[in-house]
Amino acid sequence: MKTQIVMAAAFASTLVVANPVAAQDREGWPDNFTVGTASQGGTYFAYGSGWANFVAENLGISGGAEITGGPMQNMALVHTGDLQFGLTTMGPARESMEGNSPLAPGLQMDNVCAIFPMYQTPFSVTALSSSGITSISDIPDGATIGFGPAGSTSDTYFPRMMETLGVNFERRNGSWSDLGGQLQDGLIDVVAFAAGIPIPAVSQLEVQTDVNIIGMTDAEAKKITDNFPVSEFVIPASTYQSLEKDSRVVSMWNFAIANCDVPESLVYEITKLTMENNDKMVSIHKAAKTSIPKNYTKNTVLPWHPGAARWFNENGYEIPESQIK
């Protein structure tokens, strides 16, 4: 995939939240940084690019977001040091750590460290209202389903979930924006989204046409939680104008990550800035409501970066030495 980079130049004079970091604390800091996100039209890109700009503006270091294939590719790029930072989901993180990434089979990506909790990724289905599809069981045999970018959280898990629920389908990959356009044009039947809510592509879709945002039944949710590393989740009706009531689905946690060799002082300042300014994070994306310190316990996969662990431990959130890289 040809990557595109969205950079935001920043200077010390633009500091608006954080106190300037003393020069002596900047030893080893890079001149700039890049955050691996995912495709345009998805939550990762909106969240990641906004967060990168926020960090750049407040720490006086140039930074920006790079469009990638999502969590699996971000794990690989951060592990190798091609990117200093990225966003990932716990399922793909576990597979990558264990050497089961389809991008690099056998490579244990163990130089990736957690820095802070982001939000849960709900797995939800969207179809045009005109299709008559109002439930997962309504999806017709052989339907074409868009699962997002290849290697994304959705593409990694949603096809398996659909198979578990007995859905027979044709698979389609692409960016969320592209798949939303294909759904609107009748080129595909369903889009199986896995992204933080509200998903920009879904919000755009429902402005342009009538859509059904489809949840799971009790039996479907139980079957999926019994077979996959997810938990039940409720999408509030207020999330989308197309929802008349809360929608029960399943979800998986997301964390921001760093290459474990990024200087401790830089990661400490980034963690401090992010965890102490949730109102700013929510203004970047509403999904950041759960980007708060108490959710640090949702990381059950990755080692913690020493800089992040220092901030959490200083603020009463205990991370034992055994969990720190």
Side-chain angles (χ1 to χ4, degrees):
M1 176 184 296
K2 181 178 180 181
T3 58
Q4 304 172 31
I5 298 180
V6 181
M7 299 300 293
F11 304 92
S13 62
T14 64
L15 302 182
V16 294
V17 176
N19 293 322
V21 182
Q24 61 268 29
D25 294 333
R26 292 177 175 257
E27 183 177 352
W29 283 28
D31 294 331
N32 57 71
F33 69 91
T34 306
V35 178
T37 60
S39 69
Q40 289 178 304
T43 305
Y44 263 26
F45 182 75
Y47 185 111
S49 56
W51 174 59
N53 293 345
F54 178 50
V55 170
E57 289 167 0
N58 284 277
L59 297 188
I61 178 174
S62 295
E66 181 169 327
I67 296 170
T68 71
M72 284 286 191
Q73 188 176 20
N74 292 341
M75 285 291 295
L77 291 170
V78 170
H79 169 75
T80 60
D82 289 322
L83 297 179
Q84 299 100 323
F85 302 99
L87 314 178
T88 196
T89 315
M90 290 292 96
R94 181 183 295 278
E95 294 197 26
S96 298
M97 289 281 291
E98 294 175 349
N100 296 320
S101 170
L103 300 179
L107 175 63
Q108 294 183 326
M109 300 181 189
D110 55 3
N111 201 35
V112 179
C113 287
I115 52 178
F116 66 83
M118 292 168 54
Y119 55 81
Q120 295 179 76
T121 287
F123 289 75
S124 63
V125 173
T126 299
L128 297 183
S129 297
S130 58
S131 71
I133 299 172
T134 60
S135 66
I136 291 176
S137 60
D138 285 341
I139 298 175
D141 191 54
T144 302
I145 301 179
F147 289 106
S152 64
T153 301
S154 180
D155 185 52
T156 302
Y157 290 95
F158 230 149
R160 302 183 211 169
M161 292 180 182
M162 287 294 189
E163 289 167 355
T164 300
L165 296 176
V167 179
N168 180 29
F169 56 86
E170 295 292 330
R171 190 169 182 161
R172 184 74 58 84
N173 290 116
S175 72
W176 293 127
S177 295
D178 289 344
L179 292 173
Q182 290 182 47
L183 182 68
Q184 187 173 357
D185 293 340
L187 300 176
I188 58 178
D189 301 292
V190 167
V191 181
F193 287 98
I197 54 174
I199 302 168
V202 176
S203 299
Q204 182 64 29
L205 259 178
E206 62 177 359
V207 168
Q208 299 171 335
T209 189
D210 294 330
V211 298
N212 293 333
I213 297 170
I214 299 163
M216 293 181 178
T217 65
D218 291 348
E220 288 168 344
K222 184 177 188 309
K223 199 166 194 177
I224 296 304
T225 55
D226 285 348
N227 286 278
F228 296 92
V230 295
S231 56
E232 288 198 29
F233 183 86
V234 173
I235 299 176
S238 59
T239 305
Y240 299 109
Q241 63 186 33
S242 301
L243 278 178
E244 296 180 355
K245 61 181 181 179
D246 293 350
S247 178
R248 189 247 310 287
V249 292
V250 297
S251 70
M252 189 179 289
W253 268 92
N254 298 271
F255 269 71
I257 54 175
N259 180 278
C260 298
D261 297 326
V262 173
E264 178 180 333
S265 60
L266 173 57
V267 175
Y268 176 87
E269 293 298 337
I270 288 175
T271 306
K272 174 181 173 68
L273 177 69
T274 307
M275 292 291 93
E276 295 182 4
N277 292 284
N278 186 249
D279 55 342
K280 174 60 179 177
M281 292 299 296
V282 172
S283 74
I284 291 169
H285 197 286
K286 291 180 181 178
K289 288 178 181 178
T290 55
S291 299
I292 53 178
K294 72 176 185 179
N295 287 326
Y296 82 106
T297 58
K298 307 302 182 182
N299 171 31
T300 58
V301 175
L302 294 163
W304 285 92
H305 192 287
R310 176 156 66 93
W311 183 89
F312 279 99
N313 282 323
E314 286 178 358
N315 288 276
Y317 304 96
E318 185 178 354
I319 298 176
E321 192 69 32
S322 61
Q323 295 177 17
I324 303 172
K325 183 74 171 182

